[in-house]
Amino acid sequence: MRKLIVLGIALFGLSTTSYAQVGVGTSTPNAAAALELSSPNQGFLPPRMSTAQRDAIDNPADGLIIFNSTTKTIQ
């Protein structure tokens, strides 16, 4: 009986889908955002790397964001 209950819970867990937003510095992230950052006195700090380090990334994802320390630009 216990195995049947565990199986039922597992199947229920697999059949449900959840969608959620993550908010840092806010308890109510915008529903259109997967991630929302909010702060009155701090900024967003992306990963910092040189052009050579950026070029060494294997198969970079579309939309990947870095701060290029060689060119001093967000890329």
Side-chain angles (χ1 to χ4, degrees), residues 41-66:
N41 59 3
Q42 295 173 312
F44 169 68
L45 187 60
R48 298 159 309 280
M49 60 184 70
S50 67
T51 298
Q53 290 170 317
R54 180 207 59 199
D55 293 347
I57 298 172
D58 289 332
N59 197 22
D62 290 344
L64 185 69
I65 296 174
I66 62 120

Side-chain angles (χ1 to χ4, degrees), residues 2 13 18-19 32 34 36 38 42 44-45 50 52 60 65 68-69 74:
R2 182 177 172 156
S18 64
Y19 298 94
E36 180 177 343
S38 178
Q42 295 173 312
F44 169 68
L45 187 60
S50 67
I65 296 174
N68 187 320
S69 58
I74 298 266

Side-chain angles (χ1 to χ4, degrees), residues 2 11-13 15 24-25 28-30 34 42-43 46-47 50 53 61 65 72 74-75:
R2 182 177 172 156
L11 289 175
F12 176 76
S15 68
V24 177
T28 55
N30 187 298
Q42 295 173 312
S50 67
Q53 290 170 317
I65 296 174
K72 305 291 188 213
I74 298 266
Q75 299 179 337

